[in-house]
């Protein structure tokens, strides 16, 4: 593993129990299309100019469009006009979707198709499925650690299937789980070089992955042998990795691969675009940590009793950092002033299906082109919010059951609304 390419970044802070449904959970933060870094959960960044990301429907350019995944259709939405401009329906019937991932050039979307266990490849310019790639059973999460590969995790096997983005073929299978099974995620970042980590809900360990050698080379034992690992994040300023471990968060020094601290809370982790703030979902609270602090100093705590989920960040024109989060227990979303640590706006975005006795759900949400975008499967709509104006600009009708979205451009990855 090449650790020599690690470098520290110097940035300023903006402003100042593990409950798992194996069927799905919210996902991954920090992929950069040019650099190939994956810093935490639910953020799939690609470098680019927002002004160049606007839709150009007349020339067929797919950039700036939204793909909304429903049971029987994939709707292509123009957020500027708030309407469906195309639909993909051929061969789709009662589909269940997992992570969508977009390539660095925005030319293709890879999305998990639960049954059969496949990855569908979609041409974003022509709005069509161009390939179906068979992978292992029970796929839930997928990652894009470099321009040439997608890594799709098959939970029944505890393995990653590596797909070549040129040939659309599986070229490697990486067994990451210690017992060859279990729901898993992948953590990577450009500063970590060819080293990465995997988590697995069955394993009380952070699993060390050689991304170029396609193998698990080691694992870091964690203190509670009864609890696995799930969410993860990486702070490049401090070179610390964070792993959800039961009701604690294990903090690992990635230079020594040693645990340096256990934080007394745990949950989904979402790194801000400047990699200076780490938001952690702690039940119905969101804890914002200083990701440039070796002590993981707490910047503030915000209570969101309605079940906050995947955070998306927006820096306003006046420099204020806001976090947007869709509620899992109401038909609303909250806008949070991160520095002030308070909810400043609540917006109606539509309702989702809620199984009985399921207080912890996931609700898909992405950002792109200045929009926060979240589907509402119970209402069959996709809500589009203007992040600067902090207002809902459209509710686009798609189909009942629409639960996954992806923006074509600099964007966060979308995930299904499910028990987490």
């Amino acid at each position: 593993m090449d650790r020599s390419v690690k470098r520290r970044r110097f940035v300023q802070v903006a402003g100042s129990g593990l409950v798992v449904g194996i069927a799905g959970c919210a996902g991954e933060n920090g992929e950069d299309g040019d650099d190939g870094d994956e810093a935490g959960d639910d953020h799939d960044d690609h470098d680019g100019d927002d002004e160049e990301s606007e839709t150009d429907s007349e020339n067929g350019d797919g950039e700036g469009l939204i793909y909304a995944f429903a049971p029987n259709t994939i709707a292509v939405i123009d957020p500027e006009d708030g309407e469906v401009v195309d639909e993909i329906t051929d061969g789709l019937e009662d589909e269940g979707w997992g992570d969508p991932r977009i390539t660095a050039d925005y030319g293709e979307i890879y999305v998990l198709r639960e049954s059969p266990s496949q990855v569908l490849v979609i041409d974003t310019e022509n709005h069509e499925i161009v390939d179906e790639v068979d992978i292992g059973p029970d796929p839930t999460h997928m990652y894009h650690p470099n321009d040439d590969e997608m890594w799709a995790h098959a939970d029944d096997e505890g393995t990653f299937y590596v797909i070549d983005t040129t040939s659309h073929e599986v070229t490697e299978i990486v067994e990451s789980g210690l017992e060859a099974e279990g729901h898993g995620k992948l953590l990577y970042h450009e500063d970590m070089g060819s080293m990465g980590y995997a988590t697995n809900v069955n394993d009380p360990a952070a699993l060390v992955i050689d991304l170029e050698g396609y193998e698990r080379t080691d694992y870091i034992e964690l203190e509670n042998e009864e609890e696995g690992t799930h969410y993860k994040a990486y702070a490049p300023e401090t070179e610390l990795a964070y792993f959800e471990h039961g009701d604690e968060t294990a903090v690992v020094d990635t230079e020594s691969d040693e645990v340096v601290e256990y934080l007394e809370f745990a949950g989904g982790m979402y790194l801000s675009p400047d990699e200076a703030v780490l938001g952690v979902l702690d039940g119905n609270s969101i804890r914002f940590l200083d990701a440039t602090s070796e002590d993981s100093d707490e910047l503030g705590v915000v209570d969101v009793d309605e079940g906050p989920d995947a955070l998306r960040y927006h820096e306003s024109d006046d420099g204020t950092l806001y976090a947007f989060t869709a509620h899992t227990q109401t038909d609303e979303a909250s806008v949070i002033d991160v520095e002030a640590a308070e909810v400043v706006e609540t917006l109606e975005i539509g309702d989702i299906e809620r199984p009985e006795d399921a207080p912890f759900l996931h609700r898909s949400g992405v950002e792109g082109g200045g929009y926060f975008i979240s589907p509402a499967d119970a209402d069959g709509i996709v809500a589009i919010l203007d992040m600067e104006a902090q207002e809902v600009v459209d509710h686009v009708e798609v189909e009942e059951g629409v639960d996954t979205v992806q923006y074509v451009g600099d964007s966060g990855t979308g995930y299904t609304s499910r028990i987490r």
Side-chain angles (χ1 to χ4, degrees):
M1 296 178 292
D2 179 12
R3 297 173 186 259
S4 63
V5 300
K6 284 189 177 182
R7 58 184 174 83
R8 289 186 179 271
R9 292 179 176 178
F10 297 91
V11 292
Q12 297 297 319
V13 175
S16 12
L18 181 63
V19 183
V20 180
I22 297 301
C25 58
E28 319 310 325
N29 182 23
E31 285 189 12
D32 185 297
D34 294 333
D35 301 325
D37 52 321
E38 211 289 356
D41 280 310
D42 267 344
H43 198 106
D44 198 2
D45 283 339
H46 297 289
D47 287 338
D49 187 340
D50 287 342
E51 294 182 357
E52 297 177 356
S53 299
E54 294 180 359
T55 304
D56 187 355
S57 300
E58 293 182 358
N59 65 16
D61 184 1
E63 196 168 344
L65 296 174
I66 299 165
Y67 280 69
F69 298 85
N72 303 291
T73 186
I74 301 171
V76 185
I77 299 171
D78 182 345
E80 292 290 325
D81 296 331
E83 64 180 15
V84 175
V85 296
D86 204 352
E87 291 183 334
I88 302 170
T89 58
D90 290 347
L92 302 182
E93 184 177 0
D94 197 25
E95 302 293 344
W97 303 104
D99 288 1
R101 291 282 170 180
I102 191 164
T103 55
D105 61 3
Y106 312 140
E108 291 181 334
I109 292 174
Y110 288 64
V111 62
L112 292 171
R113 186 187 199 182
E114 293 179 359
S115 182
S117 299
Q118 291 182 332
V119 174
L120 296 188
V121 184
I122 300 170
D123 182 322
T124 60
E125 182 175 348
N126 297 304
H127 313 162
E128 63 180 4
I129 296 171
V130 295
D131 222 330
E132 301 175 355
V133 185
D134 293 328
I135 58 173
D138 198 13
T140 305
H141 289 309
M142 184 162 49
Y143 306 89
H144 191 29
N146 58 67
D147 288 355
D148 301 322
E149 297 172 343
M150 294 285 177
W151 286 47
H153 193 268
D155 289 357
D156 277 3
E157 300 172 342
T159 60
F160 290 99
Y161 282 71
V162 181
I163 301 170
D164 185 283
T165 54
T166 299
S167 67
H168 301 162
E169 294 180 352
V170 175
T171 57
E172 301 285 347
I173 299 177
V174 182
E175 185 177 304
S176 58
L178 298 179
E179 303 298 331
E181 63 179 359
H183 174 74
K185 294 173 178 280
L186 183 66
L187 175 64
Y188 55 91
H189 191 280
E190 60 168 344
D191 291 4
M192 294 165 63
S194 63
M195 181 191 77
Y197 297 94
T199 63
N200 192 296
V201 298
N202 291 357
D203 301 328
L207 309 162
V208 183
I209 305 294
D210 184 339
L211 298 172
E212 293 181 355
Y214 304 105
E215 63 177 343
R216 183 187 71 239
T217 59
D218 202 354
Y219 62 92
I220 304 166
E221 294 185 14
L222 302 182
E223 64 178 4
N224 189 338
E225 296 181 357
E226 303 300 319
E227 298 286 355
T229 50
H230 190 211
Y231 284 101
K232 76 285 177 295
Y234 174 70
E237 169 75 6
T238 60
E239 297 182 329
L240 295 176
Y242 297 80
F243 300 96
E244 181 187 19
H245 178 52
D247 57 4
E248 295 181 315
T249 299
V251 184
V252 172
D253 182 331
T254 60
E255 286 289 349
S256 63
D257 277 345
E258 295 181 351
V259 178
V260 296
E261 186 178 7
Y262 286 96
L263 305 177
E264 295 182 353
F265 52 84
M269 305 180 209
Y270 306 94
L271 197 66
S272 63
D274 63 1
E275 301 179 313
V277 176
L278 179 63
V280 183
L281 302 185
D282 181 15
N284 286 324
S285 297
I286 303 173
R287 296 179 182 271
F288 291 102
L289 308 182
D290 181 354
T292 71
S293 162
E294 293 185 355
D295 296 323
S296 305
D297 294 333
E298 195 169 274
L299 301 173
V301 181
V302 181
D303 292 329
V304 183
D305 293 335
E306 296 83 5
D309 204 47
L311 296 181
R312 293 289 182 258
Y313 295 92
H314 173 74
E315 184 176 333
S316 68
D317 291 343
D318 65 5
T320 303
L321 182 64
Y322 293 97
F324 287 66
T325 182
H327 301 171
T328 63
Q329 298 302 316
T330 71
D331 62 353
E332 298 172 324
S334 289
V335 184
I336 299 166
D337 182 324
V338 175
E339 181 179 1
E342 65 179 6
V343 175
V344 295
E345 193 67 68
T346 302
L347 304 170
E348 293 186 5
I349 61 173
D351 218 352
I352 63 173
E353 296 287 348
R354 299 185 187 86
E356 293 183 6
D357 301 322
F360 297 103
L361 300 172
H362 282 301
R363 181 165 190 164
S364 178
V366 303
E367 53 82 21
Y371 299 108
F372 178 75
I373 305 148
S374 184
D377 58 358
D379 291 337
I381 65 170
V382 171
I384 302 174
L385 284 60
D386 184 314
M387 299 180 83
E388 182 65 27
Q390 298 180 7
E391 64 182 15
V392 178
V393 293
D394 276 298
H395 286 161
V396 182
E397 293 186 10
V398 176
E399 178 191 13
E400 186 174 340
V402 58
D403 61 10
T404 304
V405 288
Q406 178 61 55
Y407 179 83
V408 180
D410 185 5
S411 174
T413 296
Y415 297 92
T416 303
S417 305
R418 299 185 187 145
I419 300 172
R420 74 185 181 202

